[in-house]
Amino acid sequence: MKHLCREGAEIAVKVTPKASRNRVVQDEEGAIRVYVTCVPEKGKATAAARTLLAKAMGVPKSRLSLIRGKTARDKVFRLE
């Protein structure tokens, strides 16, 4: 995931809430899936996905901002 760490990069992810464990997976095509154990209410799953993605990329979570997908499973984050 470190190859995505460039200023202004937009990272599209698919979030799966209520998963059995927290993890970030990138498939052969480069699509990123974030599995979180949180429930999708009041932004909990989005916050958990942001934290996991930042950890996987090796950047502080404060550098990731949500651009699209506040209430959707498909989200786009921007690296600031």
Side-chain angles (χ1 to χ4, degrees):
M1 300 277 172
K2 301 221 185 257
H3 65 280
L4 299 171
C5 296
R6 60 183 192 280
E7 192 74 25
E10 292 187 1
I11 302 113
V13 299
K14 182 158 186 116
V15 178
T16 303
K18 298 194 302 187
S20 60
R21 64 185 173 112
N22 291 324
R23 62 189 172 130
V24 178
V25 178
Q26 187 172 15
D27 64 16
E28 301 83 36
E29 292 85 38
I32 300 171
R33 294 190 60 108
V34 180
Y35 297 89
V36 294
T37 57
C38 296
V39 293
E41 61 183 35
K42 299 182 182 176
K44 292 178 185 177
T46 301
R50 179 178 163 217
T51 301
L52 280 174
L53 186 60
K55 186 175 181 180
M57 293 173 65
V59 298
K61 67 180 180 181
S62 61
R63 290 193 57 203
L64 283 178
S65 58
L66 182 67
I67 301 172
R68 286 189 303 272
K70 184 176 179 182
T71 60
R73 288 180 181 229
D74 294 318
K75 301 182 185 300
V76 177
F77 291 95
R78 178 181 291 137
L79 184 61
E80 305 291 336

PDB file of all heavy atoms in Angstrom, residues 7-13 46 50-51 53-54 57 59-70 75-80:
ATOM      1  N   GLU A   7       1.282  12.723  -2.366  1.00  0.00           N
ATOM      2  CA  GLU A   7       0.429  13.873  -2.078  1.00  0.00           C
ATOM      3  C   GLU A   7      -0.690  14.005  -3.111  1.00  0.00           C
ATOM      4  O   GLU A   7      -0.435  13.962  -4.314  1.00  0.00           O
ATOM      5  CB  GLU A   7       1.284  15.140  -2.081  1.00  0.00           C
ATOM      6  CG  GLU A   7       0.601  16.349  -1.531  1.00  0.00           C
ATOM      7  CD  GLU A   7       0.465  16.328  -0.028  1.00  0.00           C
ATOM      8  OE1 GLU A   7       1.266  15.659   0.636  1.00  0.00           O
ATOM      9  OE2 GLU A   7      -0.444  16.992   0.478  1.00  0.00           O
ATOM     10  N   GLY A   8      -1.934  14.136  -2.655  1.00  0.00           N
ATOM     11  CA  GLY A   8      -3.069  14.325  -3.546  1.00  0.00           C
ATOM     12  C   GLY A   8      -3.634  13.045  -4.145  1.00  0.00           C
ATOM     13  O   GLY A   8      -4.585  13.099  -4.918  1.00  0.00           O
ATOM     14  N   ALA A   9      -3.083  11.902  -3.783  1.00  0.00           N
ATOM     15  CA  ALA A   9      -3.575  10.630  -4.323  1.00  0.00           C
ATOM     16  C   ALA A   9      -4.993  10.372  -3.835  1.00  0.00           C
ATOM     17  O   ALA A   9      -5.316  10.620  -2.680  1.00  0.00           O
ATOM     18  CB  ALA A   9      -2.669   9.487  -3.894  1.00  0.00           C
ATOM     19  N   GLU A  10      -5.839   9.896  -4.740  1.00  0.00           N
ATOM     20  CA  GLU A  10      -7.205   9.525  -4.380  1.00  0.00           C
ATOM     21  C   GLU A  10      -7.280   8.005  -4.356  1.00  0.00           C
ATOM     22  O   GLU A  10      -6.964   7.347  -5.347  1.00  0.00           O
ATOM     23  CB  GLU A  10      -8.206  10.121  -5.356  1.00  0.00           C
ATOM     24  CG  GLU A  10      -8.278  11.626  -5.255  1.00  0.00           C
ATOM     25  CD  GLU A  10      -9.379  12.237  -6.099  1.00  0.00           C
ATOM     26  OE1 GLU A  10     -10.117  11.492  -6.775  1.00  0.00           O
ATOM     27  OE2 GLU A  10      -9.490  13.470  -6.074  1.00  0.00           O
ATOM     28  N   ILE A  11      -7.684   7.459  -3.219  1.00  0.00           N
ATOM     29  CA  ILE A  11      -7.699   6.023  -3.012  1.00  0.00           C
ATOM     30  C   ILE A  11      -9.143   5.549  -2.912  1.00  0.00           C
ATOM     31  O   ILE A  11      -9.860   5.930  -1.984  1.00  0.00           O
ATOM     32  CB  ILE A  11      -6.917   5.635  -1.744  1.00  0.00           C
ATOM     33  CG1 ILE A  11      -5.477   6.135  -1.850  1.00  0.00           C
ATOM     34  CG2 ILE A  11      -6.915   4.142  -1.526  1.00  0.00           C
ATOM     35  CD1 ILE A  11      -5.131   7.203  -0.888  1.00  0.00           C
ATOM     36  N   ALA A  12      -9.572   4.737  -3.866  1.00  0.00           N
ATOM     37  CA  ALA A  12     -10.918   4.178  -3.854  1.00  0.00           C
ATOM     38  C   ALA A  12     -10.895   2.859  -3.091  1.00  0.00           C
ATOM     39  O   ALA A  12     -10.031   2.009  -3.342  1.00  0.00           O
ATOM     40  CB  ALA A  12     -11.415   3.958  -5.275  1.00  0.00           C
ATOM     41  N   VAL A  13     -11.815   2.705  -2.151  1.00  0.00           N
ATOM     42  CA  VAL A  13     -11.896   1.478  -1.360  1.00  0.00           C
ATOM     43  C   VAL A  13     -13.344   1.015  -1.275  1.00  0.00           C
ATOM     44  O   VAL A  13     -14.273   1.803  -1.425  1.00  0.00           O
ATOM     45  CB  VAL A  13     -11.332   1.667   0.071  1.00  0.00           C
ATOM     46  CG1 VAL A  13      -9.881   2.045   0.046  1.00  0.00           C
ATOM     47  CG2 VAL A  13     -12.135   2.679   0.849  1.00  0.00           C
ATOM     48  N   THR A  46     -16.820   4.005   8.792  1.00  0.00           N
ATOM     49  CA  THR A  46     -15.968   4.890   7.989  1.00  0.00           C
ATOM     50  C   THR A  46     -14.728   5.293   8.770  1.00  0.00           C
ATOM     51  O   THR A  46     -13.618   5.287   8.235  1.00  0.00           O
ATOM     52  CB  THR A  46     -16.754   6.139   7.549  1.00  0.00           C
ATOM     53  OG1 THR A  46     -17.881   5.716   6.777  1.00  0.00           O
ATOM     54  CG2 THR A  46     -15.888   7.067   6.724  1.00  0.00           C
ATOM     55  N   ARG A  50     -10.884   4.354   7.765  1.00  0.00           N
ATOM     56  CA  ARG A  50      -9.859   5.398   7.611  1.00  0.00           C
ATOM     57  C   ARG A  50      -8.626   5.071   8.451  1.00  0.00           C
ATOM     58  O   ARG A  50      -7.488   5.174   7.985  1.00  0.00           O
ATOM     59  CB  ARG A  50     -10.454   6.742   8.028  1.00  0.00           C
ATOM     60  CG  ARG A  50      -9.511   7.887   7.947  1.00  0.00           C
ATOM     61  CD  ARG A  50     -10.241   9.165   8.334  1.00  0.00           C
ATOM     62  NE  ARG A  50      -9.293  10.196   8.657  1.00  0.00           N
ATOM     63  CZ  ARG A  50      -9.463  11.087   9.604  1.00  0.00           C
ATOM     64  NH1 ARG A  50     -10.560  11.101  10.321  1.00  0.00           N
ATOM     65  NH2 ARG A  50      -8.546  11.989   9.836  1.00  0.00           N
ATOM     66  N   THR A  51      -8.846   4.632   9.681  1.00  0.00           N
ATOM     67  CA  THR A  51      -7.744   4.272  10.567  1.00  0.00           C
ATOM     68  C   THR A  51      -6.955   3.086  10.021  1.00  0.00           C
ATOM     69  O   THR A  51      -5.722   3.114   9.990  1.00  0.00           O
ATOM     70  CB  THR A  51      -8.287   3.947  11.975  1.00  0.00           C
ATOM     71  OG1 THR A  51      -8.985   5.095  12.473  1.00  0.00           O
ATOM     72  CG2 THR A  51      -7.169   3.584  12.928  1.00  0.00           C
ATOM     73  N   LEU A  53      -6.817   1.955   6.890  1.00  0.00           N
ATOM     74  CA  LEU A  53      -6.154   2.308   5.638  1.00  0.00           C
ATOM     75  C   LEU A  53      -4.897   3.129   5.898  1.00  0.00           C
ATOM     76  O   LEU A  53      -3.849   2.881   5.300  1.00  0.00           O
ATOM     77  CB  LEU A  53      -7.125   3.077   4.742  1.00  0.00           C
ATOM     78  CG  LEU A  53      -6.642   3.412   3.339  1.00  0.00           C
ATOM     79  CD1 LEU A  53      -6.305   2.144   2.564  1.00  0.00           C
ATOM     80  CD2 LEU A  53      -7.696   4.217   2.605  1.00  0.00           C
ATOM     81  N   ALA A  54      -4.984   4.075   6.814  1.00  0.00           N
ATOM     82  CA  ALA A  54      -3.824   4.891   7.155  1.00  0.00           C
ATOM     83  C   ALA A  54      -2.702   4.035   7.729  1.00  0.00           C
ATOM     84  O   ALA A  54      -1.531   4.204   7.380  1.00  0.00           O
ATOM     85  CB  ALA A  54      -4.222   5.981   8.147  1.00  0.00           C
ATOM     86  N   MET A  57      -1.039   2.079   5.008  1.00  0.00           N
ATOM     87  CA  MET A  57      -0.228   2.940   4.144  1.00  0.00           C
ATOM     88  C   MET A  57       0.976   3.521   4.880  1.00  0.00           C
ATOM     89  O   MET A  57       1.884   4.050   4.247  1.00  0.00           O
ATOM     90  CB  MET A  57      -1.086   4.086   3.600  1.00  0.00           C
ATOM     91  CG  MET A  57      -2.162   3.618   2.637  1.00  0.00           C
ATOM     92  SD  MET A  57      -3.273   4.930   2.153  1.00  0.00           S
ATOM     93  CE  MET A  57      -2.173   6.018   1.262  1.00  0.00           C
ATOM     94  N   VAL A  59       0.830   6.093   7.117  1.00  0.00           N
ATOM     95  CA  VAL A  59       0.677   7.543   7.268  1.00  0.00           C
ATOM     96  C   VAL A  59      -0.269   7.815   8.429  1.00  0.00           C
ATOM     97  O   VAL A  59      -1.073   6.957   8.799  1.00  0.00           O
ATOM     98  CB  VAL A  59       0.122   8.206   5.981  1.00  0.00           C
ATOM     99  CG1 VAL A  59       1.065   8.009   4.816  1.00  0.00           C
ATOM    100  CG2 VAL A  59      -1.261   7.699   5.641  1.00  0.00           C
ATOM    101  N   PRO A  60      -0.202   9.012   9.017  1.00  0.00           N
ATOM    102  CA  PRO A  60      -1.163   9.355  10.077  1.00  0.00           C
ATOM    103  C   PRO A  60      -2.574   9.446   9.509  1.00  0.00           C
ATOM    104  O   PRO A  60      -2.755   9.900   8.377  1.00  0.00           O
ATOM    105  CB  PRO A  60      -0.704  10.721  10.571  1.00  0.00           C
ATOM    106  CG  PRO A  60       0.648  10.940  10.003  1.00  0.00           C
ATOM    107  CD  PRO A  60       0.796  10.057   8.820  1.00  0.00           C
ATOM    108  N   LYS A  61      -3.562   9.038  10.286  1.00  0.00           N
ATOM    109  CA  LYS A  61      -4.940   9.066   9.794  1.00  0.00           C
ATOM    110  C   LYS A  61      -5.423  10.484   9.533  1.00  0.00           C
ATOM    111  O   LYS A  61      -6.329  10.692   8.729  1.00  0.00           O
ATOM    112  CB  LYS A  61      -5.887   8.336  10.739  1.00  0.00           C
ATOM    113  CG  LYS A  61      -6.080   8.989  12.076  1.00  0.00           C
ATOM    114  CD  LYS A  61      -7.028   8.180  12.916  1.00  0.00           C
ATOM    115  CE  LYS A  61      -7.202   8.848  14.263  1.00  0.00           C
ATOM    116  NZ  LYS A  61      -8.089   8.108  15.128  1.00  0.00           N
ATOM    117  N   SER A  62      -4.796  11.458  10.140  1.00  0.00           N
ATOM    118  CA  SER A  62      -5.173  12.860   9.909  1.00  0.00           C
ATOM    119  C   SER A  62      -4.855  13.308   8.482  1.00  0.00           C
ATOM    120  O   SER A  62      -5.394  14.303   8.014  1.00  0.00           O
ATOM    121  CB  SER A  62      -4.479  13.776  10.914  1.00  0.00           C
ATOM    122  OG  SER A  62      -3.075  13.672  10.779  1.00  0.00           O
ATOM    123  N   ARG A  63      -3.997  12.573   7.784  1.00  0.00           N
ATOM    124  CA  ARG A  63      -3.659  12.921   6.390  1.00  0.00           C
ATOM    125  C   ARG A  63      -4.652  12.357   5.387  1.00  0.00           C
ATOM    126  O   ARG A  63      -4.610  12.708   4.212  1.00  0.00           O
ATOM    127  CB  ARG A  63      -2.253  12.424   6.056  1.00  0.00           C
ATOM    128  CG  ARG A  63      -1.182  13.224   6.800  1.00  0.00           C
ATOM    129  CD  ARG A  63       0.187  12.979   6.273  1.00  0.00           C
ATOM    130  NE  ARG A  63       0.285  13.287   4.859  1.00  0.00           N
ATOM    131  CZ  ARG A  63       1.216  12.761   4.065  1.00  0.00           C
ATOM    132  NH1 ARG A  63       2.104  11.919   4.545  1.00  0.00           N
ATOM    133  NH2 ARG A  63       1.261  13.088   2.790  1.00  0.00           N
ATOM    134  N   LEU A  64      -5.553  11.477   5.820  1.00  0.00           N
ATOM    135  CA  LEU A  64      -6.574  10.915   4.937  1.00  0.00           C
ATOM    136  C   LEU A  64      -7.890  11.637   5.167  1.00  0.00           C
ATOM    137  O   LEU A  64      -8.384  11.697   6.284  1.00  0.00           O
ATOM    138  CB  LEU A  64      -6.772   9.420   5.210  1.00  0.00           C
ATOM    139  CG  LEU A  64      -5.742   8.465   4.660  1.00  0.00           C
ATOM    140  CD1 LEU A  64      -6.093   7.041   5.067  1.00  0.00           C
ATOM    141  CD2 LEU A  64      -5.630   8.563   3.170  1.00  0.00           C
ATOM    142  N   SER A  65      -8.458  12.168   4.098  1.00  0.00           N
ATOM    143  CA  SER A  65      -9.769  12.798   4.210  1.00  0.00           C
ATOM    144  C   SER A  65     -10.737  12.110   3.261  1.00  0.00           C
ATOM    145  O   SER A  65     -10.369  11.697   2.160  1.00  0.00           O
ATOM    146  CB  SER A  65      -9.679  14.292   3.901  1.00  0.00           C
ATOM    147  OG  SER A  65      -9.163  14.501   2.604  1.00  0.00           O
ATOM    148  N   LEU A  66     -11.974  11.992   3.697  1.00  0.00           N
ATOM    149  CA  LEU A  66     -13.015  11.340   2.902  1.00  0.00           C
ATOM    150  C   LEU A  66     -13.557  12.331   1.886  1.00  0.00           C
ATOM    151  O   LEU A  66     -13.974  13.429   2.235  1.00  0.00           O
ATOM    152  CB  LEU A  66     -14.142  10.852   3.815  1.00  0.00           C
ATOM    153  CG  LEU A  66     -15.271  10.103   3.144  1.00  0.00           C
ATOM    154  CD1 LEU A  66     -14.777   8.772   2.593  1.00  0.00           C
ATOM    155  CD2 LEU A  66     -16.391   9.865   4.134  1.00  0.00           C
ATOM    156  N   ILE A  67     -13.528  11.944   0.610  1.00  0.00           N
ATOM    157  CA  ILE A  67     -14.028  12.801  -0.460  1.00  0.00           C
ATOM    158  C   ILE A  67     -15.453  12.401  -0.831  1.00  0.00           C
ATOM    159  O   ILE A  67     -16.330  13.243  -0.949  1.00  0.00           O
ATOM    160  CB  ILE A  67     -13.149  12.690  -1.722  1.00  0.00           C
ATOM    161  CG1 ILE A  67     -11.736  13.073  -1.407  1.00  0.00           C
ATOM    162  CG2 ILE A  67     -13.695  13.563  -2.834  1.00  0.00           C
ATOM    163  CD1 ILE A  67     -10.800  12.799  -2.548  1.00  0.00           C
ATOM    164  N   ARG A  68     -15.663  11.102  -1.046  1.00  0.00           N
ATOM    165  CA  ARG A  68     -16.973  10.592  -1.461  1.00  0.00           C
ATOM    166  C   ARG A  68     -17.304   9.314  -0.709  1.00  0.00           C
ATOM    167  O   ARG A  68     -16.421   8.548  -0.367  1.00  0.00           O
ATOM    168  CB  ARG A  68     -16.961  10.260  -2.959  1.00  0.00           C
ATOM    169  CG  ARG A  68     -16.996  11.439  -3.859  1.00  0.00           C
ATOM    170  CD  ARG A  68     -17.210  11.033  -5.322  1.00  0.00           C
ATOM    171  NE  ARG A  68     -16.209  10.105  -5.835  1.00  0.00           N
ATOM    172  CZ  ARG A  68     -15.059  10.486  -6.385  1.00  0.00           C
ATOM    173  NH1 ARG A  68     -14.756  11.752  -6.467  1.00  0.00           N
ATOM    174  NH2 ARG A  68     -14.219   9.588  -6.851  1.00  0.00           N
ATOM    175  N   GLY A  69     -18.605   9.110  -0.487  1.00  0.00           N
ATOM    176  CA  GLY A  69     -19.065   7.848   0.064  1.00  0.00           C
ATOM    177  C   GLY A  69     -19.293   7.841   1.560  1.00  0.00           C
ATOM    178  O   GLY A  69     -19.084   6.822   2.207  1.00  0.00           O
ATOM    179  N   LYS A  70     -19.739   8.951   2.107  1.00  0.00           N
ATOM    180  CA  LYS A  70     -19.941   9.033   3.556  1.00  0.00           C
ATOM    181  C   LYS A  70     -20.836   7.913   4.074  1.00  0.00           C
ATOM    182  O   LYS A  70     -20.559   7.328   5.108  1.00  0.00           O
ATOM    183  CB  LYS A  70     -20.530  10.391   3.918  1.00  0.00           C
ATOM    184  CG  LYS A  70     -20.687  10.613   5.384  1.00  0.00           C
ATOM    185  CD  LYS A  70     -21.193  12.005   5.686  1.00  0.00           C
ATOM    186  CE  LYS A  70     -21.352  12.188   7.177  1.00  0.00           C
ATOM    187  NZ  LYS A  70     -21.882  13.498   7.515  1.00  0.00           N
ATOM    188  N   LYS A  75     -16.024   4.075  -1.104  1.00  0.00           N
ATOM    189  CA  LYS A  75     -15.534   5.357  -0.591  1.00  0.00           C
ATOM    190  C   LYS A  75     -14.280   5.772  -1.338  1.00  0.00           C
ATOM    191  O   LYS A  75     -13.548   4.935  -1.849  1.00  0.00           O
ATOM    192  CB  LYS A  75     -15.235   5.243   0.906  1.00  0.00           C
ATOM    193  CG  LYS A  75     -16.442   4.832   1.723  1.00  0.00           C
ATOM    194  CD  LYS A  75     -16.132   4.779   3.184  1.00  0.00           C
ATOM    195  CE  LYS A  75     -17.295   4.263   3.995  1.00  0.00           C
ATOM    196  NZ  LYS A  75     -18.507   5.031   3.904  1.00  0.00           N
ATOM    197  N   VAL A  76     -14.024   7.074  -1.346  1.00  0.00           N
ATOM    198  CA  VAL A  76     -12.796   7.602  -1.932  1.00  0.00           C
ATOM    199  C   VAL A  76     -12.154   8.505  -0.889  1.00  0.00           C
ATOM    200  O   VAL A  76     -12.777   9.452  -0.395  1.00  0.00           O
ATOM    201  CB  VAL A  76     -13.061   8.383  -3.238  1.00  0.00           C
ATOM    202  CG1 VAL A  76     -11.769   8.968  -3.783  1.00  0.00           C
ATOM    203  CG2 VAL A  76     -13.726   7.493  -4.275  1.00  0.00           C
ATOM    204  N   PHE A  77     -10.905   8.192  -0.553  1.00  0.00           N
ATOM    205  CA  PHE A  77     -10.127   8.996   0.380  1.00  0.00           C
ATOM    206  C   PHE A  77      -9.044   9.742  -0.394  1.00  0.00           C
ATOM    207  O   PHE A  77      -8.551   9.253  -1.411  1.00  0.00           O
ATOM    208  CB  PHE A  77      -9.445   8.107   1.433  1.00  0.00           C
ATOM    209  CG  PHE A  77     -10.404   7.474   2.399  1.00  0.00           C
ATOM    210  CD1 PHE A  77     -10.895   6.195   2.186  1.00  0.00           C
ATOM    211  CD2 PHE A  77     -10.802   8.146   3.546  1.00  0.00           C
ATOM    212  CE1 PHE A  77     -11.775   5.596   3.071  1.00  0.00           C
ATOM    213  CE2 PHE A  77     -11.672   7.562   4.444  1.00  0.00           C
ATOM    214  CZ  PHE A  77     -12.157   6.289   4.207  1.00  0.00           C
ATOM    215  N   ARG A  78      -8.663  10.911   0.086  1.00  0.00           N
ATOM    216  CA  ARG A  78      -7.561  11.680  -0.502  1.00  0.00           C
ATOM    217  C   ARG A  78      -6.457  11.799   0.543  1.00  0.00           C
ATOM    218  O   ARG A  78      -6.707  12.104   1.690  1.00  0.00           O
ATOM    219  CB  ARG A  78      -8.003  13.065  -0.933  1.00  0.00           C
ATOM    220  CG  ARG A  78      -6.814  13.881  -1.495  1.00  0.00           C
ATOM    221  CD  ARG A  78      -7.194  15.268  -1.927  1.00  0.00           C
ATOM    222  NE  ARG A  78      -8.042  15.211  -3.104  1.00  0.00           N
ATOM    223  CZ  ARG A  78      -9.128  15.963  -3.273  1.00  0.00           C
ATOM    224  NH1 ARG A  78      -9.501  16.810  -2.351  1.00  0.00           N
ATOM    225  NH2 ARG A  78      -9.837  15.867  -4.371  1.00  0.00           N
ATOM    226  N   LEU A  79      -5.229  11.587   0.076  1.00  0.00           N
ATOM    227  CA  LEU A  79      -4.061  11.748   0.942  1.00  0.00           C
ATOM    228  C   LEU A  79      -3.621  13.206   0.876  1.00  0.00           C
ATOM    229  O   LEU A  79      -3.286  13.706  -0.184  1.00  0.00           O
ATOM    230  CB  LEU A  79      -2.925  10.828   0.486  1.00  0.00           C
ATOM    231  CG  LEU A  79      -1.680  10.822   1.348  1.00  0.00           C
ATOM    232  CD1 LEU A  79      -2.004  10.345   2.764  1.00  0.00           C
ATOM    233  CD2 LEU A  79      -0.637   9.933   0.733  1.00  0.00           C
ATOM    234  N   GLU A  80      -3.673  13.884   2.003  1.00  0.00           N
ATOM    235  CA  GLU A  80      -3.314  15.318   2.074  1.00  0.00           C
ATOM    236  C   GLU A  80      -1.839  15.476   2.410  1.00  0.00           C
ATOM    237  O   GLU A  80      -1.248  14.686   3.028  1.00  0.00           O
ATOM    238  CB  GLU A  80      -4.148  16.032   3.146  1.00  0.00           C
ATOM    239  CG  GLU A  80      -5.627  15.876   2.957  1.00  0.00           C
ATOM    240  CD  GLU A  80      -6.182  16.600   1.738  1.00  0.00           C
ATOM    241  OE1 GLU A  80      -5.548  17.582   1.284  1.00  0.00           O
ATOM    242  OE2 GLU A  80      -7.217  16.176   1.245  1.00  0.00           O
TER     243      GLU A  80
END
